[in-house]
Amino acid sequence: MNIEGSSNINAFTCDLKEYLNEDTLVYTKDDHAKKLVFSNSVLNVDIARFDCHQKYITADFRKILKSEKNPYIRVRFISLDDAAVSGNINGVVEIEIAGQTKRMDITYAMQQYGNKQLQLIGS
């Protein structure tokens, strides 16, 4: 995961150095709506694990995100279009940053690995 931003000085990218949690996304299949609907499927991303490649930008990044009070970025998966093959797929997530939550539509590039694993790459 990376976060891209800009300041009055220049643009920057903050990269997640490591994600140490083992997460399982739990969903049910809604055949009528042709969607996968997630329940209790949240990724908790530790803000302290981001590196903006410049010490002062990393410090400002953590301060702006109020990491002392809200140490995690939370990505809650809501739904994903049901697809039987690899390709592009649309989904809905809620992202919580600095105590503020926003629902977003995301288009993912999806790759299926066997019957039980998917890789989703979205922005």
Side-chain angles (χ1 to χ4, degrees):
M1 173 184 281
N2 64 41
I3 296 177
E4 297 175 359
S6 62
S7 69
N8 57 348
I9 299 171
N10 63 4
F12 60 90
T13 299
C14 300
D15 299 308
L16 184 62
K17 295 185 291 188
E18 58 188 353
Y19 185 76
L20 302 175
N21 301 340
E22 289 187 23
D23 295 308
T24 301
L25 303 178
V26 179
Y27 65 87
T28 56
K29 191 172 182 178
D30 182 342
D31 289 326
H32 180 69
K34 296 185 179 181
K35 291 193 180 292
L36 306 178
V37 180
F38 294 92
S39 60
N40 292 330
S41 295
V42 179
L43 304 180
N44 292 300
V45 181
D46 188 349
I47 293 170
R49 300 280 180 201
F50 278 92
D51 180 6
C52 301
H53 311 286
Q54 293 180 21
K55 190 175 182 177
Y56 71 94
I57 292 178
T58 300
D60 284 349
F61 176 78
R62 292 177 182 159
K63 182 178 177 184
I64 288 167
L65 295 184
K66 303 174 186 173
S67 66
E68 289 186 19
K69 185 176 178 183
N70 302 289
Y72 298 98
I73 294 172
R74 290 188 169 79
V75 180
R76 180 181 320 277
F77 287 81
I78 305 298
S79 66
L80 190 63
D81 289 351
D82 189 8
V85 296
S86 299
N88 287 341
I89 188 167
N90 296 315
V92 178
V93 297
E94 284 181 352
I95 299 177
E96 180 184 330
I97 299 175
Q100 301 294 314
T101 302
K102 183 175 182 180
R103 188 173 281 225
M104 302 179 73
D105 297 321
I106 297 181
T107 299
Y108 300 97
M110 181 187 77
Q111 180 67 45
Q112 188 165 349
Y113 297 97
N115 290 334
K116 296 190 176 195
Q117 292 187 351
L118 297 175
Q119 178 183 35
L120 301 172
I121 300 172
S123 60

